[in-house]
């Protein structure tokens, strides 16, 4: 079985981005999941990394759908590899959605997968006092951290400064329209959904 604390990553550096030039600055470690809040956190971390010359380390935590306890009952390396690939695709898609690839102007970028719960993966990764940990948070009716179990655990256990980035908020009218939208609302103009099996769109 793959260890729950196992991690893998891909690193990209621009020319001149590596080398021993004295003490290296701490890293910008950012949690990524693909949510709007995490995309906002990724963009904020990239801006900070670019402005301060820090390496950017994006972390996506993943586990089997039934958790590690469920996986131990019926371990399957093939399925574990499929879930790992899905996690890798989510991490790469987050960069594509936020920047269209790697963020411009950041000298060193690493994309890392960690098989663990999100809060444990982030706290264990940002383990240096000069690191900065960036996480996205979602506002609720109870306040910014009303239901944020992951956020509360990170803030309580982090060993470095933590920057929380709120998810973008949409106007109430837009949220209402999105909740009541149907598939037909997203079709190109002039196209309609088929009315029955085998019938082509108009």
């Amino acid at each position: 079985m793959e260890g729950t604390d196992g991690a893998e990553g891909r690193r990209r550096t621009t020319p001149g981005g590596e080398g021993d030039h004295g003490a290296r600055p701490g890293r910008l470690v950012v949690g990524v999941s693909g949510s709007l809040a995490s995309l906002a956190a990724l963009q904020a971390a990239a801006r900070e990394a670019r402005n301060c010359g820090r390496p950017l380390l994006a972390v996506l935590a993943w586990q089997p759908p039934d958790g590690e306890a469920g996986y131990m009952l019926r371990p399957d390396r093939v399925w574990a590899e499929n879930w790992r690939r899905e996690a890798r695709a989510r991490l790469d898609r987050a960069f594509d959605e936020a920047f269209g690839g790697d963020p411009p102007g950041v000298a060193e970028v690493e994309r890392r997968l960690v098989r663990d719960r999100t809060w444990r993966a982030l706290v264990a990764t940002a383990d240096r006092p000069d690191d900065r940990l960036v996480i996205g948070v979602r506002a609720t009716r109870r306040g910014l951290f009303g239901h944020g179990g992951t956020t509360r655990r990170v803030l309580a256990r982090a060993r470095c400064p933590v920057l929380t980035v709120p998810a973008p908020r949409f106007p109430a009218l837009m949220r209402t329209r999105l909740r009541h939208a149907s598939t037909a609302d997203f079709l190109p103009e002039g196209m309609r959904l088929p009315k029955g099996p085998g019938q082509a769109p108009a």
Side-chain angles (χ1 to χ4, degrees):
M1 174 182 171
E2 183 181 347
T4 58
D5 59 350
E8 60 153 308
R10 292 194 315 217
R11 178 175 297 175
R12 188 272 299 166
T13 57
T14 58
E18 296 239 52
D20 187 7
H21 301 292
R24 291 171 59 84
R27 303 162 299 172
L28 261 298
V29 180
V30 55
V32 178
S33 66
S35 68
L36 287 177
S38 77
L39 291 178
L42 179 59
Q43 292 172 333
R47 285 194 301 269
E48 184 75 7
R50 182 171 57 250
N51 293 337
C52 299
R54 291 171 176 259
L56 177 65
L57 172 53
V59 176
L60 188 144
W62 70 278
Q63 285 188 303
D66 294 330
E68 295 297 342
Y71 181 83
M72 290 177 66
L73 296 176
R74 300 185 65 180
D76 188 318
R77 289 184 176 274
V78 174
W79 276 108
E81 176 62 17
N82 287 336
W83 296 324
R84 186 200 64 79
R85 289 178 179 173
E86 289 178 0
R88 167 60 63 189
R90 273 195 293 141
L91 181 55
D92 290 340
R93 187 162 57 247
F95 273 83
D96 290 340
E97 292 177 355
F99 313 108
D102 282 323
V106 181
E108 184 175 338
V109 180
E110 181 179 352
R111 309 181 188 188
R112 182 180 298 181
L113 298 180
V114 180
R115 183 171 171 177
D116 204 345
R117 296 183 66 177
T118 300
W119 69 267
R120 277 201 300 252
L122 294 176
V123 170
T125 301
D127 58 351
R128 308 174 189 174
D130 58 345
D131 285 341
R132 294 181 188 174
L133 180 56
V134 185
I135 56 175
V137 294
R138 179 173 57 88
T140 69
R141 292 181 179 178
R142 297 185 182 181
L144 197 58
F145 309 122
H147 298 287
T150 295
T151 300
R152 290 198 300 270
R153 288 184 174 93
V154 168
L155 293 174
R157 295 168 173 82
R159 288 170 276 184
C160 67
V162 180
L163 171 65
T164 57
V165 180
R169 296 183 62 85
F170 295 98
L173 180 59
M174 182 181 296
R175 293 199 302 270
T176 300
R177 288 177 175 174
L178 286 173
R179 281 197 298 268
H180 293 89
S182 65
T183 305
D185 294 323
F186 298 93
L187 292 175
E189 185 176 356
M191 181 177 289
R192 297 180 181 179
L193 290 173
K195 296 182 179 180
Q199 183 177 352

